[in-house]
Amino acid sequence: VSGRDNLARALRRRAVTAPRTITHRPSYGGGLPLFVEALDSAPNRSELANRLRESLFEDPRVGEATVRGSSK
C-alpha cells in the first residue's frame, strides 16, 4: 500500500487508537474509542474534533486537516 491509501490507513489507525495505549508512544492516537459511548453533546463533539485534528497534524504528511462529523 502506498500513496494516498497508505496515508488514509495511517490516519484511520491513528484516529481509532486511544492515547496512552502504545507504551513507547503515549501521545499517539486520536482517542475516538473514548467517545464511543459518551453523551452526544456539543462539548463532546468539539473535544473529539479537536483531539482528532491535533492527532492528524502529528503525522508529517498532513499539512491541513478539517474534521467534520455528524451525530446522525
Side-chain angles (χ1 to χ4, degrees):
V1 180
S2 62
R4 294 182 88 153
D5 288 337
N6 177 268
L7 177 60
R9 287 182 183 193
L11 296 180
R12 189 174 305 115
R13 183 173 39 254
R14 184 181 292 271
V16 300
T17 301
R20 296 178 299 282
T21 57
I22 300 177
T23 307
H24 63 282
R25 294 185 68 191
S27 66
Y28 181 89
L32 187 58
L34 304 174
F35 291 85
V36 169
E37 293 187 23
L39 178 67
D40 182 16
S41 65
N44 281 346
R45 288 190 302 271
S46 178
E47 182 179 349
L48 176 58
N50 288 333
R51 284 177 180 236
L52 289 173
R53 191 176 302 106
E54 288 174 10
S55 180
L56 296 178
F57 281 127
E58 288 180 13
D59 189 307
R61 298 170 290 180
V62 175
E64 185 176 311
T66 301
V67 178
R68 288 178 278 188
S70 174
S71 60
K72 297 179 181 179

